[in-house]
Amino acid sequence: MGGAKMVDNSLIIRYNCGVMKIKGAKIIVECLIEQGVEYVFGYPGGAVLDIFDELYKAKDSLAQILTCHEQGACHAADGYARVSGKTGVVLATSGPGATNLVTGIANAYMDSVPLVAITGNVSVPLLGRDSFQEVDIAGITMPITKHNYIVKDIAELAATIREAFVIASSGRPGPVLIDIPKNIQQELYEFKAAKPVAAKQAAVEFDAAQIEAAAHMLQNSERPLLFAGGGVISANASDKLIQFIQSFDIPVVSSMMGLGAVSHEHPLFLGMIGMHGHAGANKALIECDTLIAVGTRFSDRVATNRSRFGADKNVIHIDIDFAEIDKNVPSSVYLCGDAAAALTRLGGAMKPVKRAAWVKQCQKHVADFPFKSTGGALCARSIIGAVRKLSPDTQVVATDVGQHQMWTAQSFGFKKPRTFITSGGLGTMGYGMGAAIGAAFANKSRVVLFTGDGSFHMNFNEVVTAVKHGLPIAVFILNNNALGMVRQWQNMFYEKRFSSTTLNLPTDYSLLAKAFGAESLVLEKNADIEKVVAQALACKGPILVDCRVCHDAVVLPMVPAGKNIEDIIINK
C-alpha cells in the first residue's frame, strides 16, 4: 500500500503562522495511516460519508474493503487481526450500521482480539432526540468492549484514536469502539502528526514468593501437565512455552483457542482437552498431579464441572488479566503478567528434569484413543485430513461454529500459531466467511474455510466480497441437511425430538457459486476426497465444495454439559 498521500487543498486553511487545519474526517484517516493500518473493513452510510470521502482520497495509502454486511466487515477485521497480530479496523454508519457490529465486537471481546470499531452518529446537538438512525452504540457495547468513546469535541479526536489503538493491543487484547458524531467529522481543527505508541505492557514484577512456590510445585511434581490457552498465541509466547516444556519434560494440552501454540507433531503435545477434547488428553488431565495453565480462563467447555475440576491437584495459573485468576477454577499459585515473561522467570527458578515414564504414559493414552470415522458414504474427518495432507504447515484455516468446527479442532493438526481462526468464546454461527476474508488479506495466500450448511446460510453473501477481490478461499461446506450440533444434543439428551434442526434447504451450491462468480465442486464419496480437495486447493479464487456428509454423524468424544471430565462419552 505505497504511494504519496493525496492532499485536498479545499479542506485546509493555512494561517499566517503556518498552522494547518483539516476536517475531522481527514484527521481520522490520517490517524489510521499513522497507526500503520492497511485495511479498513466496512460499509458506508449517511453518518460516515465524510470519512469514506477521505478514505477515497487516501486510497493510495489505505485500502477500504467494502463487505456485503457490517457484521461480515467486523468478522473480517477480527480475522485479519488474528492472523496478522495487528489491530483490525472496522467502520460503520450510525443506527443499524452500528448495531450490526455488535455480534462481531462481542466475538472479538470473548476471544481477546485487538479491534478498533469506528462508528458515525448524528451531530452532537441531535444526540438523545431520537434522531433518524440514532442509537447509543457506546451504551450498547459497554459490556463487550475494553473501552469506548463518544467524541464530542474535535480537539480530542486525534488523541482518542491514538489511545484506542494502545488500549486495544495492550495487556489482554480486545475491542475498542469510537463513536464520532457527524459534526465532529466536518469541523476543522489543527492536526499534528505523531508516531504510533507501542502497546503498553504492565511492568512485570512477579512476586518472588509466588515464583518460588510455583517452581517448587513443578520441580517436585511427578505428573505435571501444561495447559496452553489462546493467551499463549496472543502473547506470541509459543517459542518460550515450547522451550519450557522441553526443559522440564512436561506434556502439554491445549484449549481450542490454544491450538497451534505447539505443533500437533511435537512429541509432548497430547491434543485438545475439554467437552470435545481428545480422550487421551483428557485422561492425562485426570491423572496429572500439577496443572500449569497459561493464558486460559477455564471456560465451561474445559472445566465442565467447576466444583470438581482441579480439586485433586495443584493448579498454577499464569494469565495477564488478574480478573481471570480464581474466577472459574481456584489456583494454588498464580503469576499475573505476560506469558513469555512468566515462563522465563519460572524456568529460571527450576532445574531441568526428565519424566520419561509420565511422558510415555501420556503418549500411550493418546495412542489408545484414536479419533474414529464420522461414518457414512463421506467422512467429514477424512475431508479435513486430506486438506491437512495437501496443505503447507502455514495453512490458515477458518471455521464457522458447529460440528464441523469441532471436527476441525480435533483432526486438522495445526502446526503454527495464528493458523486456526474460529469463534471460541461466543460461538458465532456466521463468523467464518468474514473471518476467512480478513485472514486472506492478512496472509496474502490461500485460506481454507470449513463450514456447515446452517452456518453458511448466515454468511454466504460475503462470497461476493471474496469474488470481487479475487481472494483464494476454499470453502468446504459440510452439508448434512441439519443444524448438526444442536441435532446431536437433541439425539442424545432430548429423546430424538429434532425440533427445527432438519433444514431441507433448496439451495444448489453449484448454481449459487456460479451466480456469485465463484467456482464449485461436489463431493459425495470417500473415494473422491483427495482428488476433489486437490482441485479445490489449486483454484486461484473462491471455490465452494458441497460435501454431502451424513446427517447422523456425531462429534465424539463428548463430555455432557455439567458433567466431570471422567464422564466422557467415547462411543455412540
Side-chain angles (χ1 to χ4, degrees), residues 37 79 82 115 138 197 424 448 482 503 555:
V37 175
R82 295 191 199 218
L115 185 76
V197 177
V448 168
L503 296 177
V555 179

Side-chain angles (χ1 to χ4, degrees), residues 450-514:
F450 291 111
T451 185
D453 45 337
S455 285
F456 187 65
H457 275 80
M458 291 188 176
N459 62 24
F460 67 65
N461 55 337
E462 297 300 346
V463 172
V464 174
T465 307
V467 170
K468 183 171 64 175
H469 291 280
L471 300 176
I473 300 175
V475 183
F476 292 87
I477 306 165
L478 302 189
N479 178 11
N480 60 1
N481 189 38
L483 297 178
M485 187 61 85
V486 185
R487 178 186 171 88
Q488 176 171 328
W489 281 58
Q490 290 172 335
N491 181 47
M492 298 175 74
F493 309 118
Y494 290 84
E495 300 177 343
K496 301 184 187 300
R497 294 187 293 273
F498 300 122
S499 176
S500 295
T501 51
T502 302
L503 296 177
N504 290 328
L505 299 169
T507 308
D508 184 318
Y509 296 103
S510 297
L511 291 178
L512 181 72
K514 185 176 181 180

Side-chain angles (χ1 to χ4, degrees), residues 29 40 51-59 62 64 91:
V29 173
V40 175
I51 303 174
F52 274 86
D53 189 48
E54 294 300 331
L55 285 171
Y56 179 86
K57 296 170 188 174
K59 58 188 176 183
L62 186 62
Q64 194 276 310
L91 171 63

Side-chain angles (χ1 to χ4, degrees), residues 39-43 52 63-67 72-74 76-78 80 88-92 437-439 441:
Y39 303 102
V40 175
F41 301 91
Y43 205 92
F52 274 86
Q64 194 276 310
I65 308 302
L66 175 67
T67 57
C74 201
D78 174 305
Y80 171 85
V89 178
V90 64
L91 171 63
I437 287 168
F441 277 110

